[in-house]
Amino acid sequence: MKKLLSNYGMILVLIALCLLFSILTLKRESPTGAASSDRMIEQVTAGFGKEEIILAVGAANKESGEFAARVASGLKEKGWSATREVVGTPRDLRQALDRLQEEGGTPSAIVGSGDVQKWSVWEKIGTDYPAFAGVREFVPEAKLWPDFLKRSNLLAIVDRIVVIAVIAIGMTMVILTGGIDLSVGSLIALSAVIGTLVMKAMGGLEAGAGAVFVGFLCAIVACGLIGGGGGWLVSRFRVAPFITTLAIMMVARGLAFKLTGGFSIYQVPKSLTWLGQGTTLGIPNTVILLVLLYGAAHVFMSHTKYGRYIYAVGGNEEAARLAGVPVKKVIIFVYLVAGICAGFGGCIQASQLNTGAPNLGMMFELYVIAAVVVGGTSLSGGSGRILGTLIGAFIISVIQNGMNLIGFDSYTQQIVLGGVILGAVLLDRIRSKAAISAA
Amino acid sequence: MQGIRKTFPGVVALDEVDLTLQAGEVLALLGENGAGKSTLIKMLGGAHRPDSGSIEIEGSDAKINSPQKARELGISVIYQEFNLVPDLTVRENLFLGREKSSFGFLKSSDEQAEAEALLARIGAKIDPGELCRNLTVAEQQMVEIARALSVNARIVVMDEPSAVLTVPEVEKLFEIIRELKSQGIGIIYISHRLDEIFTIADRTVVLRDGRQVGEEKLSDLSREQLIEMMVGRSMEAEFPTRESDPGEEKLRVENLNRGRRVRDVSFSVRAGEILGFAGLVGAGRTETMRLIAGIDRKESGEVFLNQNAVEISDPRHAIRARICLLTEDRKSEGLILQHGLVENFGLPNLSGFASGLFLNQKKERESFADYTEQLRIKISDPDQEAGSLSGGNQQKVVLAKWLVQNADVIIFDEPTRGIDVGAKYEIYQLIHRLADEGKAIIMVSSELPEVIGMSDRIVVMHEGRKKGEIENVADATQEQIFAMAMAD
């Protein structure tokens, strides 16, 4: 346990942040989930006859609308065939009530979600429609629940960080060897552009999933080759990684603009969005992707000899070489992986945005490096954890998301984020200093 | 210094230590590693502060709370690791932090004149305009001494100044020390080499486990008594004895060449034999070994293993050929100091600990535990950082990681550098055991008594060339080796 905390101490920070934002975004709201619609159906079926008129009302947003639809279809299924579904604006509800009055019908019950309850039509139903004064109102009981912890918000956090988190896997390996890779941001753009150009060439809008696959493959291979080439320069000619990847960053960005003439590519197949926006078995593909990639990377880094080699090269390159570690191959390998991860990140980005544009991924290299550093990996190499990086990425995303919910403007967000990165690094220094003096 | 006590979290580093130093005296501060010597001198240098006790200089109470304060009080400490900036010149290093200037502009000519005077005072022939990077280790040390004097030091502390010096360079150092003595400067001298202590020091204070266990005039002590004081038990001999019974020739090298440091070196070593390499620092011994181990590329020459020529141009080739080298610099070449012991131990052996794609970490740990016991490595936790071990235990971990390879040829380069007397003996025993198991051992050492005491045969090198071989080690003397090295 102690070891776990010393390796992944930043998880406490992440938990603390989640708690903080949960408390700050606490709101009394009636739930709209499946459980609450089931309970509504239960109450109605218990209290009213099958012939009675029931209104299921929802506002024109996803949660509330789906809630109303679920209630209506559930009631109809059970035989309450006079149930009417009203989803839309307050105007829609008024029209529905007017129609009911003209028909001479009388609703026995009206079921609505929390936001519908606040409509003035709802509140004044007894005064505006004296005939309906006897209607029973059903609204799921309001509960205290933070906006931050809503399913849609949690998914937004993942969506926002998935590209950075995927690239951060490669970056962690590079930084563990004592290097740095500044080119990943530009490679996102190059990858997205190459991928979508290939799809366009293979039929554009009409092309199928095969074109998407080939496009992604070309993009990832291209970025891997560029990354590996950089690694070769670093290991063979001892060019400083900072300079090598700075140059690649410029070349890749220029190439992306050159290939597209500066325009975005929209002629892409529909299935492009599957990776970044689709779901499998109800779980968003991005979440599945993160779990799979980080799981594989963690096993690779801590349970194979190649992972050990990466740590050893960063810890002491000369000692590693003398112990028979193929140092040059290790260095080429980590930049290759960084390139592949960046290429993959570009594919996800293209899928999320349904386009390939040469200006994607600006400044992303810095966010990726920040995620790695906040996750506890030392910039001087040799120490750090892959899962720490995932935590670091989430810390950054949670802070941005939380501040959005509270209503901080984007300038303030940048200031806070910068402060957090500084704080994380300071914490790391203090901790390692404490570790040294304790030894 | 009186009643000095210093505690670190969990340990009492020093307890009730008294130390006096007269003007114009050389005091040897002795003790095994971890005895508290470094802590004591760090207090003099202002790097640590005592928890209790007092320090008086020339009768007045001195509070040394920073390195600056120490300098003001006339205390200069020359630490083991030099503090010179390699890319600055000698002059710039001498005046670093207290440059001579007027109106913000450097007065280079003033500095130059004073630098020359300082270097002349210790008889060093070094050009103040030279970059420190280009100096030999001995010259760098002279610059350190000159810098120590430049602040009008009354007390100079030297922490193992001779560890990196050759015999004539040590002689030169002693001349400087005698010169400083005659100028009334008090010197505290720390060294593991007892010969030197008896040559240069007047008095000794011995520390053991943070306590002062003796203060004697050296003229009243024998070597054995001194060792006994340091180790806390009597030691029969400095070197273990062994009957050697060499077998077949294991390794032969012919006409190795690389640059000026290795020129036409040929020799052979047999199974079960310990071949010593003597010579001055810079004689090309380490460089020769690095060629054999594939760390550097040889320009020409051949290496034969069991009479078969082998091509070694990378450390991996050497490991495959079962030749391993324990480098002289454990800290930068032998270990990854901030990584755990098991990780360091496993690094060259991971293929052996892998089952399929994945590492069998249980097997690795068991193997490490096995060697920990076999070599009697003192550790508190297999995952503790390698840098937190003492020199002797670090050396054992390095040895353990190579023993897993079951190497036939084991090259020790300065195996006991920076290791205290008690642990040295254990390393010697281990080397003997390996030789008895039939391994071919090559041992490079700058400590002549060690080479003579341990080897079955000695190769003497000088300026990149092999100058001779001594077959009859029993009758070898330091003078003989010296004469051989210097012969034309």
Side-chain angles (χ1 to χ4, degrees):
Chain A
M1 188 65 198
K2 203 174 150 197
K3 197 173 151 197
L4 199 72
L5 275 187
S6 80
N7 278 346
Y8 302 113
M10 290 313 280
I11 201 157
L12 295 181
V13 176
L14 181 58
I15 292 171
L17 280 171
C18 289
L19 280 176
L20 175 74
F21 287 125
S22 297
I23 293 166
L24 288 177
T25 61
L26 262 186
K27 258 197 216 144
R28 183 166 284 283
E29 235 174 277
S30 57
T32 53
S36 55
S37 55
D38 285 349
R39 202 157 40 245
M40 291 297 104
I41 294 168
E42 229 170 78
Q43 288 177 10
V44 171
T45 49
F48 303 93
K50 285 191 179 172
E51 69 297 336
E52 289 182 79
I53 297 172
I54 315 288
L55 282 179
V57 190
N61 64 57
K62 197 170 169 231
E63 283 126 30
S64 175
E66 281 178 3
F67 168 80
R70 263 199 315 273
V71 172
S73 63
L75 283 172
K76 278 178 186 157
E77 244 170 59
K78 295 200 161 160
W80 274 257
S81 48
T83 301
R84 298 185 183 195
E85 176 186 332
V86 185
V87 174
T89 57
R91 217 175 102 96
D92 292 317
L93 176 60
R94 189 172 293 278
Q95 281 171 353
L97 291 169
D98 287 344
R99 213 162 36 239
L100 202 59
Q101 202 169 24
E102 279 163 28
E103 291 166 11
T106 313
S108 309
I110 174 164
V111 182
S113 62
D115 40 4
V116 176
Q117 194 183 16
K118 291 174 202 129
W119 293 352
S120 66
V121 215
W122 180 289
E123 284 168 357
K124 290 194 270 183
I125 201 162
T127 47
D128 289 357
Y129 304 90
F132 301 166
V135 71
R136 291 260 310 273
E137 292 175 7
F138 289 92
V139 174
E141 197 186 336
K143 275 186 190 154
L144 215 49
W145 190 252
D147 277 352
F148 178 79
L149 288 183
K150 278 190 175 165
R151 182 183 152 87
S152 58
N153 188 58
L154 293 179
L155 289 180
I157 292 176
V158 176
D159 269 350
R160 181 165 201 148
I161 205 62
V162 65
V163 174
I164 286 171
V166 165
I167 299 173
I169 292 175
M171 185 68 86
T172 307
M173 294 184 188
V174 169
I175 290 180
L176 277 175
T177 64
I180 193 97
D181 190 346
L182 298 178
S183 67
V184 293
S186 299
L187 288 182
I188 292 176
L190 188 62
S191 159
V193 163
I194 290 177
T196 49
L197 277 177
V198 169
M199 293 171 210
K200 184 181 171 189
M202 288 177 70
L205 289 165
E206 278 75 43
V212 175
F213 180 77
V214 175
F216 282 172
L217 197 67
C218 291
I220 292 170
V221 168
C223 290
L225 286 178
I226 293 173
W232 179 72
L233 289 173
V234 169
S235 71
R236 176 75 178 76
F237 299 104
R238 316 244 112 221
V239 191
F242 188 94
I243 300 301
T244 311
T245 57
L246 182 71
I248 295 176
M249 168 177 130
M250 293 173 172
V251 170
R253 179 70 65 187
L255 266 178
F257 274 99
K258 201 90 181 145
L259 284 172
T260 57
F263 298 105
S264 301
I265 314 242
Y266 292 110
Q267 298 88 332
V268 289
K270 276 209 176 63
S271 45
L272 171 62
T273 55
W274 178 82
L275 182 65
Q277 300 174 26
T279 60
T280 305
L281 301 172
I283 306 167
N285 291 336
T286 47
V287 175
I288 296 174
L289 196 69
L290 277 186
V291 171
L292 285 181
L293 287 180
Y294 269 89
H298 173 73
V299 170
F300 177 80
M301 289 305 285
S302 44
H303 296 282
T304 72
K305 69 174 178 182
Y306 307 103
R308 277 292 181 83
Y309 285 173
I310 290 173
Y311 280 104
V313 168
N316 182 340
E317 191 176 321
E318 187 62 10
R321 186 173 80 95
L322 267 49
V325 174
V327 171
K328 284 184 177 160
K329 285 183 194 157
V330 169
I331 289 177
I332 293 175
F333 174 80
V334 294
Y335 286 93
L336 177 82
V337 173
I340 290 173
C341 286
F344 203 12
C347 295
I348 301 169
Q349 184 83 316
S351 172
Q352 284 182 327
L353 302 173
N354 203 19
T355 178
N359 61 351
L360 292 181
M362 292 272 189
M363 297 272 287
F364 267 43
E365 59 277 351
L366 300 183
Y367 282 106
V368 172
I369 293 169
V372 175
V373 172
V374 170
T377 296
S378 155
L379 272 182
S380 47
S383 77
R385 303 271 165 231
I386 276 282
L387 295 184
T389 296
L390 184 61
I391 296 168
F394 269 96
I395 286 179
I396 289 177
S397 183
V398 161
I399 288 173
Q400 286 183 332
N401 175 276
M403 287 190 297
N404 269 337
L405 291 182
I406 299 172
F408 280 15
D409 61 275
S410 64
Y411 307 127
T412 319
Q413 288 187 19
Q414 285 201 10
I415 296 171
V416 173
L417 204 59
V420 168
I421 292 169
L422 262 185
V425 180
L426 281 178
L427 199 74
D428 181 58
R429 294 306 307 164
I430 293 166
R431 227 178 33 188
S432 64
K433 223 173 146 184
I436 286 167
S437 62
Chain B
M1 300 177 93
Q2 270 206 331
I4 298 291
R5 181 184 165 87
K6 174 78 186 175
T7 56
F8 291 113
V11 273
V12 181
L14 286 175
D15 199 8
E16 289 293 321
V17 173
D18 302 329
L19 185 144
T20 44
L21 177 69
Q22 312 288 334
E25 178 192 45
V26 177
L27 175 75
L29 184 58
L30 297 178
E32 294 193 88
N33 285 342
K37 293 170 304 192
S38 301
T39 313
L40 194 64
I41 61 165
K42 277 184 181 157
M43 280 177 203
L44 279 174
H48 287 328
R49 267 184 274 178
D51 296 342
S52 62
S54 61
I55 302 174
E56 281 178 24
I57 295 175
E58 288 174 358
S60 58
D61 204 26
K63 291 256 176 297
I64 309 174
N65 45 22
S66 72
Q68 284 77 16
K69 183 78 184 176
R71 217 181 312 168
E72 281 168 29
L73 288 167
I75 303 173
S76 275
V77 181
I78 302 169
Y79 293 106
Q80 241 170 316
E81 281 85 27
F82 295 151
N83 292 309
L84 297 175
V85 183
D87 285 317
L88 292 184
T89 63
V90 171
R91 169 171 62 80
E92 284 162 335
N93 265 296
L94 282 175
F95 292 95
L96 195 61
R98 35 177 212 97
E99 286 79 3
K100 289 188 179 299
S101 63
S102 56
F103 306 110
F105 294 98
L106 287 173
K107 285 160 68 179
S108 303
S109 53
D110 284 18
E111 285 190 3
Q112 181 77 15
E114 199 176 323
E116 280 168 13
L118 276 169
L119 292 168
R121 188 170 157 198
I122 57 168
K125 292 185 192 67
I126 300 171
D127 175 10
E130 188 65 63
L131 290 181
C132 280
R133 174 180 297 292
N134 300 333
L135 300 182
T136 65
V137 180
E139 286 170 335
Q140 289 183 22
Q141 187 166 50
M142 289 181 189
V143 175
E144 283 274 2
I145 295 172
R147 183 157 77 173
L149 295 179
S150 68
V151 294
N152 282 325
R154 288 175 293 170
I155 300 170
V156 176
V157 183
M158 299 182 181
D159 190 359
E160 294 215 45
S162 61
V164 287
L165 300 186
T166 61
V167 177
E169 286 166 347
V170 172
E171 268 312 311
K172 178 87 198 157
L173 174 71
F174 286 177
E175 271 172 42
I176 296 171
I177 291 176
R178 288 189 193 106
E179 173 62 27
L180 298 180
K181 246 176 93 168
S182 70
Q183 293 171 13
I185 294 171
I187 293 161
I188 298 179
Y189 188 94
I190 297 175
S191 174
H192 283 302
R193 299 188 183 173
L194 299 183
D195 292 340
E196 290 175 5
I197 306 289
F198 281 99
T199 314
I200 194 70
D202 304 309
R203 217 154 46 83
T204 178
V205 166
V206 180
L207 299 179
R208 189 167 70 227
D209 300 331
R211 287 173 181 279
Q212 186 178 329
V213 292
E215 179 177 3
E216 299 276 352
K217 273 215 160 68
L218 278 163
S219 49
D220 301 341
L221 275 176
S222 72
R223 202 181 159 92
E224 288 70 32
Q225 283 171 315
L226 190 59
I227 293 178
E228 203 177 319
M229 268 167 82
M230 287 166 64
V231 187
R233 59 181 193 276
S234 61
M235 309 247 310
E236 296 79 38
E238 265 183 85
F239 303 101
T241 52
R242 110 173 223 278
E243 287 295 316
S244 91
D245 178 24
E248 296 285 295
E249 176 191 291
K250 204 80 201 167
L251 177 83
R252 185 172 84 242
V253 305
E254 285 181 2
N255 304 317
L256 276 191
N257 272 294
R258 181 182 164 96
R260 294 166 42 80
R261 282 300 182 83
V262 184
R263 292 186 276 190
D264 274 332
V265 175
S266 307
F267 65 90
S268 72
V269 57
R270 299 193 282 171
E273 183 184 39
I274 300 176
L275 178 65
F277 266 72
L280 311 177
V281 168
R285 296 166 301 164
T286 297
E287 289 78 1
T288 305
M289 299 310 149
R290 286 172 68 93
L291 297 185
I292 297 172
I295 299 169
D296 299 324
R297 294 266 180 107
K298 57 178 186 274
E299 282 160 8
S300 64
E302 281 187 278
V303 177
F304 298 88
L305 195 68
N306 299 322
Q307 309 290 355
N308 299 316
V310 282
E311 188 49 46
I312 296 172
S313 55
D314 187 279
R316 296 163 71 77
H317 302 159
I319 292 170
R320 220 169 293 146
R322 308 222 291 199
I323 298 174
C324 71
L325 167 63
L326 282 76
T327 54
E328 59 177 333
D329 192 341
R330 281 188 300 278
K331 292 187 171 161
S332 69
E333 295 173 346
L335 290 167
I336 303 174
L337 294 179
Q338 76 271 34
H339 285 185
L341 296 178
V342 177
E343 260 171 88
N344 270 294
F345 165 78
L347 196 55
N349 311 310
L350 291 179
S351 302
F353 293 135
S355 37
L357 188 59
F358 300 107
L359 287 178
N360 184 343
Q361 288 173 346
K362 193 168 159 244
K363 192 169 158 195
E364 186 185 18
R365 279 173 187 281
E366 280 167 1
S367 171
F368 180 67
D370 203 30
Y371 279 100
T372 311
E373 201 182 299
Q374 244 187 69
L375 304 185
R376 284 192 285 159
I377 311 177
K378 286 190 205 97
I379 59 168
S380 53
D381 177 358
D383 291 317
Q384 79 186 96
E385 286 181 14
S388 65
L389 287 185
S390 70
N393 283 313
Q394 283 183 356
Q395 186 69 286
K396 286 181 186 174
V397 172
V398 177
L399 182 58
K401 81 172 182 183
W402 290 119
L403 287 183
V404 181
Q405 292 286 335
N406 198 15
D408 295 328
V409 180
I410 304 180
I411 307 172
F412 291 90
D413 195 356
E414 305 285 359
T416 61
R417 170 175 295 171
I419 292 176
D420 56 57
V421 182
K424 267 184 187 177
Y425 195 82
E426 277 190 71
I427 299 282
Y428 295 145
Q429 284 177 316
L430 283 172
I431 294 176
H432 276 180
R433 203 182 87 195
L434 293 171
D436 288 341
E437 285 170 10
K439 305 198 184 298
I441 308 278
I442 298 174
M443 189 185 82
V444 175
S445 173
S446 295
E447 288 188 50
L448 288 178
E450 182 173 282
V451 180
I452 296 171
M454 289 292 294
S455 312
D456 300 323
R457 201 151 51 88
I458 297 173
V459 170
V460 181
M461 281 185 74
H462 187 63
E463 291 184 339
R465 291 184 194 281
K466 175 174 159 186
K467 299 297 282 255
E469 257 185 50
I470 300 174
E471 298 275 353
N472 186 4
V473 178
D475 301 330
T477 62
Q478 303 198 24
E479 289 69 30
Q480 182 193 359
I481 291 174
F482 214 57
M484 202 178 254
M486 291 305 175
D488 287 318

